[in-house]
Amino acid sequence: MRWSHGFVPLLALLVFLTSLPAVAGPEDARSGPDAERPVRAEGDFGRDGPECRTAVDGPQAVAHCHNPYPALYWVALHVECAHWWDLDVDGAAVEVRPAGTVRLAARCWSGIDAVWVTQHRV
């Protein structure tokens, strides 16, 4: 049997994708003493953490995080793109000093399905 030239790269991609480890999503619970638990930014984080507000305008996502507490925090923006071929974005963590505000931004090529912010107290 002769393999077509278009089928071999597709088969190689399929083998590669099935060999990747499973990646936990933002809703998955993690356990252990050193586990960071991501929190969805839907307004207020409660009593101990920065308040982050997110906005989506087409392919652009923006988050503004304000830390009213005396502790230092790290926040990171995460974006899940709408199309399977578009790469999701996990932004670098940014320091939010006490009484400070930071702006986080990311984009997809076409559309956005979900946006959330994770936080970590230093």
Side-chain angles (χ1 to χ4, degrees):
M1 180 172 149
R2 180 180 160 105
W3 295 88
S4 70
H5 293 290
F7 183 73
V8 173
L10 182 62
L11 182 62
L13 178 64
L14 181 63
V15 169
F16 172 74
L17 291 177
T18 56
S19 67
L20 290 176
V23 177
E27 299 86 12
D28 295 340
R30 298 177 187 153
S31 60
D34 297 329
E36 294 179 77
R37 296 196 182 268
V39 180
R40 289 214 177 246
E42 295 176 357
D44 188 37
F45 280 112
R47 305 190 107 203
D48 50 335
E51 178 181 326
C52 294
R53 303 208 182 269
T54 60
V56 175
D57 183 20
Q60 286 280 108
V62 176
H64 290 88
C65 295
H66 175 70
N67 180 12
Y69 301 102
L72 182 64
Y73 286 87
W74 289 88
V75 293
L77 179 65
H78 306 276
V79 178
E80 185 176 314
C81 298
H83 299 287
W84 66 268
W85 46 263
D86 204 353
L87 297 177
D88 295 342
V89 178
D90 290 319
V94 175
E95 183 179 77
V96 185
R97 295 181 180 269
T101 301
V102 296
R103 180 182 183 273
L104 307 168
R107 65 173 290 129
C108 293
W109 281 99
S110 181
I112 294 176
D113 272 347
V115 176
W116 67 95
V117 176
T118 55
Q119 68 176 2
H120 175 79
R121 184 175 177 173
V122 178

